[in-house]
Amino acid sequence: MEYRRLGKSGLKVSALSFGSWLTFGKQIGNNTAEKLMGYAYDNGINFFDNAEIYAQGKSEIVMGRIIKKMKWDRTSFVVSSKAFFGDHRKGPNQTGLSRKHLVEACNNALKRLQVDYLDLYFCHRPDKETPIEEVVWTMNHLIQQGKILYWGTSEWSAQEIMEAHMVAKDYRLIGPTMEQPQYNMFERKKMEVEYSQIFKNIGMGTTTWSPLASGVLTDKYLRKNFPKGTRLGMDGLEWLKDAALQDERIPKVHALNEFAKELGISLPRMAVAWALKNPNVSTVILGASKLAQLKENLKALGDVSLLTPEVMERIEGILANKPVAPMF
Ligand code: NDP
């Protein structure tokens, strides 16, 4: 495993990490969750990602039980939670980024995960109804209390992130260390254009999500019949199927799949390696519903060297979606 610094912080995260969205407490049984986490840890993954909303709090409960059962040394892993969407409760103060919700969501995550502190704590989305000063002061306070070690954002705009840094600087508080954006061959703008100045000027870390665009960057949706037992076939996830499985993506996936075969690897390996190649990525968070998938995706670490400038150019030619910086 390779370990990368989380931005300019002193924390080191494994270049590949593991998350529980839609799987733990929902799509997969607890035994499978345990096997996946165990395999990840045994293979050097040191960061496990979670959120209050995942399976409405159940994902954290499942992960907490596994952490406890495994008796891993607490200094050997990094665990996160994210607040904003609420768990199963959706009252006026049970979502958002108010001081009340950030503090209560943190306390709930600590209980569910059965840990004394969260290594990483994210604002899962920006909240237009809470002043940024309130968010920064609250996160700083949670750090002072020892309940969290680093705080970050998820899917915030560059401007929102910079506002948080300006407030932190003004009041001499601790600003956000990392952002958690989607990053894959189809979603590139934030990582490749929008955040460029923040990477340069602040040294922001990133824990990127959905490297396979929810499984689209594999060969399974190229098959004649819609594959059974997959995320995009799950009841209630029609919105995700529409967002991830856009018609225009299919010919590109087909061409990428052929090219991956030519390189002697699978498309998911190529897609994960492609994300890892971006130097502004601190860690690529993997998701898996089966052990075989995790085993396959972990091989991507050794595939980054296959992505030579010529190979990257051919991928670029297939994708034809390179984001361009706006002209000022
Ligand atoms: P991916 O895009 O990699 O999707 C993972 C899913 O793709 C798996 O559950 C599986 O679904 C399928 N898959 C994975 N590997 C393979 C393979 N080798 N062959 C075939 N199918 C495969 O990542 P996620 O969308 O799960 O995101 C990863 C993590 O990022 C999440 O767990 C979460 O921690 C975080 N995240 C954060 C968000 C945020 O807003 N901050 C939003 C979303 C995720 P199946 O078998 O069911 O088809």
Side-chain angles (χ1 to χ4, degrees):
M1 180 56 69
E2 172 196 339
Y3 297 89
R4 296 183 180 180
R5 274 178 73 187
L6 186 61
K8 67 166 193 222
S9 82
L11 189 75
K12 293 190 181 74
V13 283
S14 45
L16 293 177
S17 46
F18 188 61
S20 59
W21 181 49
L22 298 174
T23 50
F24 285 34
K26 200 174 163 110
Q27 186 189 5
I28 63 175
N30 296 351
N31 286 343
T32 306
E34 188 178 322
K35 278 196 195 114
L36 287 165
M37 264 183 86
Y39 188 85
Y41 184 87
D42 290 343
N43 284 277
I45 285 184
N46 75 350
F47 166 40
F48 298 97
D49 186 60
N50 221 317
E52 58 170 355
I53 178 81
Y54 293 174
Q56 302 187 308
K58 281 193 229 114
S59 167
E60 291 182 337
I61 293 174
V62 172
M63 192 175 274
R65 287 192 194 131
I66 296 170
I67 289 173
K68 183 142 198 220
K69 188 171 167 194
M70 298 290 195
K71 295 199 171 70
W72 291 328
D73 181 343
R74 182 66 185 89
T75 63
S76 70
F77 66 92
V78 170
V79 69
S80 74
S81 183
K82 309 183 206 82
F84 175 77
F85 293 105
D87 48 22
H88 55 287
R89 297 160 291 193
K90 303 285 177 197
N93 290 313
Q94 292 166 335
T95 62
L97 300 180
S98 67
R99 177 171 300 126
K100 180 169 169 64
H101 185 62
L102 281 179
V103 168
E104 289 171 349
C106 177
N107 289 337
N108 288 329
L110 293 176
K111 269 188 228 137
R112 289 192 287 247
L113 287 164
Q114 304 191 54
V115 290
D116 297 327
Y117 57 89
L118 300 171
D119 301 275
L120 308 183
Y121 191 38
F122 292 89
C123 297
H124 210 158
R125 291 292 180 270
D127 178 3
K128 299 217 177 323
E129 295 183 355
T130 302
I132 189 65
E133 287 82 359
E134 183 172 335
V135 174
V136 179
W137 273 103
T138 304
M139 289 303 202
N140 194 78
H141 192 221
L142 288 169
I143 292 175
Q144 305 278 308
Q145 288 179 311
K147 289 186 179 182
I148 66 171
L149 302 186
Y150 301 87
W151 77 277
T153 57
S154 180
E155 295 294 336
W156 285 29
S157 67
Q159 191 186 338
E160 287 159 340
I161 296 169
M162 282 318 293
E163 275 172 25
H165 278 287
M166 275 153 62
V167 166
K169 198 163 179 231
D170 274 358
Y171 294 98
R172 293 181 173 271
L173 304 173
I174 298 172
T177 294
M178 67 289 172
E179 153 69 33
Q180 186 166 129
Q182 181 173 183
Y183 185 50
N184 56 53
M185 288 172 162
F186 295 124
E187 289 291 337
R188 307 173 57 178
K189 201 159 158 239
K190 277 195 159 73
M191 281 299 293
E192 294 182 27
V193 173
E194 189 180 339
Y195 295 154
S196 308
Q197 288 306 311
I198 316 186
F199 291 136
K200 226 197 268 169
N201 301 334
I202 307 280
M204 178 173 76
T206 56
T207 62
T208 63
W209 59 270
S210 282
L212 303 182
S214 273
V216 172
L217 286 162
T218 66
D219 66 0
K220 63 183 163 198
Y221 296 107
L222 297 174
R223 294 175 205 152
K224 224 172 169 193
N225 297 319
F226 196 88
K228 288 205 180 97
T230 55
R231 175 182 294 181
L232 298 184
M234 280 164 71
D235 284 344
L237 290 185
E238 292 77 13
W239 64 272
L240 184 60
K241 184 180 170 197
D242 290 345
L245 207 53
Q246 296 162 25
D247 288 347
E248 59 170 45
R249 290 184 177 180
I250 297 301
K252 294 184 181 182
V253 174
H254 183 74
L256 290 166
N257 192 46
E258 291 304 308
F259 187 36
K261 276 192 214 156
E262 210 179 300
L263 294 175
I265 59 176
S266 66
L267 176 52
R269 278 170 63 174
M270 184 166 92
V272 172
W274 179 92
L276 275 173
K277 198 172 163 70
N278 185 328
N280 293 316
V281 169
S282 314
T283 180
V284 173
I285 315 177
L286 301 174
S289 68
K290 296 176 184 70
L291 189 57
Q293 295 174 348
L294 181 59
K295 285 185 179 173
E296 177 72 4
N297 301 347
L298 271 166
K299 291 183 194 151
L301 269 174
D303 298 332
V304 180
S305 57
L306 295 176
L307 303 184
T308 59
E310 296 73 40
V311 168
M312 289 300 272
E313 210 172 299
R314 268 189 70 187
I315 293 175
E316 208 63 83
I318 295 170
L319 291 175
N321 64 359
K322 193 175 174 60
V324 281
M327 300 281 277
F328 293 107

